Amino acid sequence: MKNIDELQKMIDSSNKIVFFGGAGVSTESGIKDFRSKDGLYNMKYKYPPELILSRNFFYQNTKEFYDFYKIKLNCLDSKPNVVHKYLAKLEMDNKLAGIITQNIDGLHTKAGNKKVYELHGTIYSNHCINCNKYFDAEYVFKSKGVPKCDCKGIIKPDVVLYGEMLDNNTLNTSIKLIENCDMLIIAGTSLLVEPASSLIRYFKGNYLVILNRSNTKYCDIASLVINDSLGNIFKQLK
């Protein structure tokens, strides 16, 4: 396939690759995305998912938040797929400068990647809103009702909810990575969520590649665009 050969040549000739991934990376592991026709945002619930996954809703309707969160965002048993595994290999070969991800499922870390920057946090880190004690994901997902700390405080996942700011350190590191890379691969994201999607504007390298089932607003300036599932694309790479 011509496009795959072109992508492979770009990867082979690059030494500081940054991978910017969204929900489409994890759908290959059986995790539902948000905005596709089968995604979480297009399913019927008592409240809209965008409302449930907001800061205000968490504090005002904590039980309803966890009713949704524990069922829909529990990916403890999910396994890394061909995309995660390929990126782990790239890092071992010292060609990958870092992974910037909008996903909260921790699958890049499970695959063995060390340079992972989670813009929207992770389900694997949780803290008591009262005393700040840390709790792992298993404690939260296996608890009954609203997970509580020993001090009776409510436990909150360290994921970025609507109405919350991104972590400054993660954001600044992501900007530096994109500014200094020679190849930026954007994969499995519609690039509709700000401020994450604006990070692409910092790219000054050689190859901007967009891999997604549908086009994005940045396709016109990309060096290469492949509209296909990530599984189909990455299983053809060496």
Side-chain angles (χ1 to χ4, degrees):
M1 187 175 173
K2 182 181 176 183
N3 282 342
I4 297 297
D5 290 341
E6 194 174 347
L7 174 59
Q8 186 70 63
K9 288 176 183 176
M10 290 178 179
I11 292 171
D12 291 343
S13 64
S14 301
N15 295 304
K16 294 177 74 175
I17 301 170
V18 167
F19 181 88
F20 183 104
V25 176
S26 297
T27 53
E28 301 292 332
S29 294
I31 298 173
K32 283 195 176 295
D33 65 8
F34 290 87
R35 289 179 171 78
S36 73
K37 63 179 183 180
D38 298 318
L40 290 180
Y41 288 177
N42 288 312
M43 295 181 178
K44 298 296 182 184
Y45 305 101
K46 183 179 177 181
Y47 302 97
E50 300 98 317
L51 176 63
I52 298 172
L53 296 175
S54 68
R55 176 183 173 85
N56 286 344
F57 193 90
F58 173 83
Y59 285 102
Q60 294 170 9
N61 303 274
T62 310
K63 182 184 180 300
E64 286 85 355
F65 171 90
Y66 270 114
D67 286 345
F68 179 90
Y69 180 84
K70 287 183 182 181
I71 295 172
K72 299 301 181 181
L73 298 183
N74 184 351
C75 44
L76 293 180
D77 295 329
S78 300
K79 307 294 184 188
N81 60 56
V82 62
V83 183
H84 303 104
K85 292 173 183 177
Y86 184 85
L87 294 172
K89 176 182 173 293
L90 272 190
E91 188 174 298
M92 285 183 65
D93 293 342
N94 293 315
K95 291 176 72 69
L96 187 71
I99 294 170
I100 302 166
T101 179
Q102 295 172 289
N103 297 333
I104 61 174
D105 51 48
L107 290 180
H108 288 295
T109 301
K110 278 188 180 180
N113 279 104
K114 303 287 189 266
K115 304 170 186 176
V116 182
Y117 303 92
E118 296 163 315
L119 287 175
H120 297 156
T122 173
I123 65 165
Y124 285 91
S125 179
N126 306 270
H127 285 85
C128 171
I129 63 174
N130 185 35
C131 71
N132 208 39
K133 182 179 177 180
Y134 168 87
F135 291 87
D136 64 21
E138 292 228 359
Y139 181 90
V140 169
F141 283 108
K142 292 182 178 178
S143 63
K144 291 184 178 180
V146 176
K148 297 283 186 68
C149 176
D150 304 333
C151 75
K152 307 301 182 186
I154 294 170
I155 297 168
K156 183 178 181 295
D158 291 335
V159 298
V160 179
L161 302 175
Y162 288 102
E164 294 183 327
M165 301 289 289
L166 300 187
D167 176 74
N168 267 333
N169 289 334
T170 304
L171 188 59
N172 291 334
T173 301
S174 299
I175 289 171
K176 288 178 183 177
L177 279 171
I178 291 174
E179 280 181 331
N180 295 308
C181 69
D182 55 9
M183 181 177 187
L184 176 61
I185 301 173
I186 301 168
T189 174
S190 57
L191 294 174
L192 293 174
V193 178
E194 295 288 357
S197 68
S198 296
L199 296 180
I200 287 82
R201 297 171 190 165
Y202 291 94
F203 178 66
K204 298 176 288 191
N206 300 324
Y207 304 120
L208 173 61
V209 175
I210 297 178
L211 312 174
N212 199 47
R213 286 185 179 274
S214 56
N215 284 327
T216 75
K217 62 183 178 181
Y218 289 99
C219 284
D220 289 345
I221 64 169
S223 311
L224 177 67
V225 176
I226 303 178
N227 296 133
D228 198 355
S229 75
L230 298 186
N232 287 341
I233 296 169
F234 278 81
K235 70 183 180 184
Q236 298 179 69
L237 297 174
K238 300 175 184 176

